[in-house]
Amino acid sequence: MSHPKNCSSPSVEALRPIALTSIFSKIQESFAVEWMMEDISPVISPAQYGGLPGLSTTHALLNLLRNWYKALEKPKTVIRVLFLDFSKAFDLINHNKLLQDMKTMGVREALRPWIASYLKGWKQRTKLGNVTSNLGDVNGGIPQGSKIGPLAFIIKINGLDQVCLQNDNNMVVIYMDDSTLSEILDMSSHTSGQPIGNMQEQLNAVKEWATEQDMILNKEKCKEMIVDFRNTKTEIPRLQVGQSQISRVSSYKLLRVWIDNNLKWETNTWALIKKSRKRLYFLKLLKNYGAPVKDILAFYNTIIRPVLQYGEVLWSGGLTAKQRANIKRIQKRAFRIIYPGEDYEHVLQKYEFITLEERRKAHCVKLVSDMAQEEHKLNHLLPPLRSEISLRNTRSNKNCFYNHFSRTNRFKNSPLSYAINIFNNS
């Protein structure tokens, strides 16, 4: 069965297949996924964050943003970012090549025939209104909605970072089929309009790799963004895929978080407020229909508040006072609906609620605590403990991290620097 990827776009290109697997199938898949993960964990690309235990979109974005903020502390530095998009990434995967990749990555021999059998014999049909097409064979792709699909795609895209440069100036971050390349450019001697850096060469290499993997770069959805704080800017030539020029944007939604090229959070803040306001309508309906307070509160905690908190450790330090007030206003409106006639501060105290600001700080503390574990993927991003570099081993130094000197407020309020400050003061 197929359904539109975007409800507002009814074109054929917007259709994507969905797979409805049985409960018994999902149980079988869970065993296969566990064994596959045991086999391939040592060789999964360090750039990959998707579908892996203990990692989330927040970790992927935190690593990416830390690299940008730190580089921008040096004057006349520009960050060039390329957001890659593959057309129907899950649907165009060649089963034979996927099985070969599994063998190369070390998936146990006894498991590969079962996976080959799992991928074989899938059928697909399309429904339009009341008309349903005949069943057709599916000869490629990975069933979406299945447990094995995400891990199979991780195996398929595992070689992407190897065709890109990985050094102090170039970075690749991958979360499933969302891949981001960034490059640090020293613009101190750049002449306007002249090529600089190696992003175009990397894009050419990615395109060639994608062709070999039977994958297609979506030229229309690939985007470029320039992060440039120089007073006098020089023109950087656009990137191209073949004869098509990559669009340059001022903001981009990556892993459900909007990133602006000024590294402020106007677009993201407005997006989460707008989305939350729409959901407040349903909160009012529940109240009007006489739903119990505990049920209305549960709706707020599970449907509205998570929107206001998504990715919060990334943007909480960079919020302006106005943005903080606008986000807080959503919670105040929700509480006025749930507890009509009661003062907001009184509600917080009476029912022992935690404010959104307090939640953001608590999550910053948890993030740093998790990263402090030696086995954590982002442990290397943390600075040393103060006790490790100070001759005075005081109580205040014992569990606090040394935070790097910030030349700009931008870096001081960057995600990790802000989280470390909150952790040190907790």
Side-chain angles (χ1 to χ4, degrees):
M1 189 75 74
S2 295
H3 76 101
K5 183 176 181 179
N6 188 332
C7 295
S8 63
S9 179
S11 66
V12 175
E13 290 75 14
L15 293 176
R16 55 157 52 169
I18 56 175
L20 301 176
T21 55
S22 66
I23 298 297
F24 182 70
S25 173
K26 291 185 184 295
I27 294 174
Q28 286 185 308
E29 288 179 68
S30 64
F31 288 112
V33 167
E34 182 179 347
W35 294 329
M36 287 170 64
M37 183 61 71
E38 290 178 1
D39 296 338
I40 69 173
S41 289
V43 293
I44 291 178
S45 165
Q48 178 64 259
Y49 289 78
L52 302 179
L55 297 178
S56 67
T57 55
T58 294
H59 296 111
L61 290 169
L62 180 68
N63 194 16
L64 188 69
L65 291 169
R66 180 63 171 184
N67 179 266
W68 298 359
Y69 279 101
K70 189 175 180 180
L72 289 166
E73 282 293 271
K74 182 180 178 181
K76 297 184 179 180
T77 296
V78 169
I79 308 296
R80 188 177 204 174
V81 190
L82 175 60
F83 304 103
L84 297 176
D85 187 277
F86 296 99
S87 297
K88 299 185 177 180
F90 281 80
D91 309 330
L92 298 179
I93 290 179
N94 184 303
H95 289 167
N96 292 329
K97 289 187 176 181
L98 175 61
L99 292 169
Q100 181 58 46
D101 291 337
M102 289 183 176
K103 180 180 179 181
T104 302
M105 291 185 67
V107 174
R108 63 192 69 182
E109 185 175 355
L111 188 57
R112 294 199 301 269
W114 185 91
I115 297 171
S117 175
Y118 175 85
L119 295 172
K120 185 179 179 181
W122 285 85
K123 303 284 186 179
Q124 178 177 307
R125 64 183 178 183
T126 302
K127 183 177 181 181
L128 181 61
N130 295 322
V131 180
T132 303
S133 69
N134 295 326
L135 286 171
D137 294 327
V138 177
N139 298 317
I142 304 172
Q144 295 198 36
S146 61
K147 286 181 173 291
I148 206 170
L151 190 55
F153 188 80
I154 288 175
I155 293 173
K156 188 61 184 174
I157 204 172
N158 197 59
L160 174 60
D161 65 312
Q162 298 175 18
V163 303
C164 302
L165 290 175
Q166 294 276 7
N167 53 42
D168 292 340
N169 293 328
N170 297 86
M171 186 178 192
V172 182
V173 170
I174 305 171
Y175 195 95
M176 301 304 294
D177 57 336
D178 288 292
S179 303
T180 305
L181 281 61
S182 64
E183 180 181 23
I184 300 169
L185 300 175
D186 181 0
M187 307 295 287
S188 56
S189 59
H190 179 247
T191 302
S192 188
Q194 292 299 310
I196 185 170
N198 50 46
M199 187 65 82
Q200 183 61 60
E201 288 74 13
Q202 291 194 71
L203 177 55
N204 295 340
V206 169
K207 182 177 182 296
E208 184 177 342
W209 173 86
T211 301
E212 293 173 355
Q213 300 297 322
D214 296 328
M215 299 171 70
I216 302 172
L217 271 179
N218 190 327
K219 304 172 186 177
E220 287 72 31
K221 291 188 176 181
C222 289
K223 304 295 181 184
E224 177 190 11
M225 189 169 76
I226 303 294
V227 183
D228 187 355
F229 293 100
R230 294 175 299 160
N231 293 327
T232 305
K233 296 177 174 56
T234 52
E235 179 61 28
I236 300 174
R238 300 287 184 93
L239 297 173
Q240 290 187 314
V241 177
Q243 300 301 315
S244 301
Q245 200 171 72
I246 298 295
S247 298
R248 187 171 289 176
V249 297
S250 59
S251 61
Y252 187 84
K253 189 178 184 181
L254 179 62
L255 303 177
R256 293 172 56 196
V257 175
W258 281 98
I259 300 176
D260 296 331
N261 64 353
N262 60 6
L263 296 184
K264 296 181 181 179
W265 299 98
E266 291 97 335
T267 305
N268 187 71
T269 303
W270 170 244
L272 63 87
I273 288 174
K274 183 179 179 182
K275 189 173 183 179
S276 300
R277 282 175 178 171
K278 291 180 179 179
R279 299 188 178 193
L280 284 176
Y281 169 74
F282 297 100
L283 201 68
K284 293 178 182 178
L285 287 182
L286 288 172
K287 188 66 177 179
N288 292 339
Y289 282 108
V293 170
K294 66 175 184 178
D295 292 344
I296 305 175
L297 187 60
F299 181 89
Y300 168 76
N301 287 332
T302 57
I303 303 299
I304 298 177
R305 196 186 72 201
V307 175
L308 297 171
Q309 293 184 247
Y310 187 81
E312 59 190 351
V313 297
L314 302 170
W315 44 260
S316 58
L319 292 179
T320 64
K322 182 178 180 181
Q323 290 168 343
R324 292 177 190 277
N326 287 337
I327 293 172
K328 179 180 178 180
R329 194 171 292 118
I330 297 295
Q331 187 177 58
K332 294 177 72 173
R333 288 179 59 185
F335 284 180
R336 281 202 301 269
I337 295 171
I338 302 171
Y339 305 103
E342 296 193 50
D343 178 71
Y344 173 69
E345 298 297 336
H346 175 71
V347 168
L348 290 176
Q349 184 176 4
K350 179 180 178 180
Y351 300 102
E352 300 181 345
F353 289 129
I354 301 175
T355 66
L356 293 175
E357 181 72 19
E358 290 171 332
R359 287 183 178 277
R360 289 195 289 267
K361 290 181 177 180
H363 288 158
C364 286
V365 172
K366 185 179 186 306
L367 173 71
V368 176
S369 298
D370 291 343
M371 290 174 60
Q373 306 302 314
E374 290 186 7
E375 66 277 8
H376 196 281
K377 188 181 181 77
L378 299 183
N379 176 264
H380 67 282
L381 294 181
L382 288 176
L385 291 169
R386 290 177 182 171
S387 59
E388 296 175 357
I389 60 176
S390 175
L391 296 177
R392 297 175 58 195
N393 192 10
T394 64
R395 182 179 299 179
S396 61
N397 283 341
K398 186 176 181 180
N399 296 314
C400 294
F401 289 95
Y402 171 78
N403 219 345
H404 295 293
F405 171 77
S406 304
R407 186 181 67 86
T408 62
N409 285 328
R410 179 175 58 244
F411 185 72
K412 180 180 179 181
N413 295 322
S414 64
L416 187 55
S417 294
Y418 178 79
I420 290 173
N421 281 333
I422 296 298
F423 176 87
N424 287 344
N425 293 323
S426 64

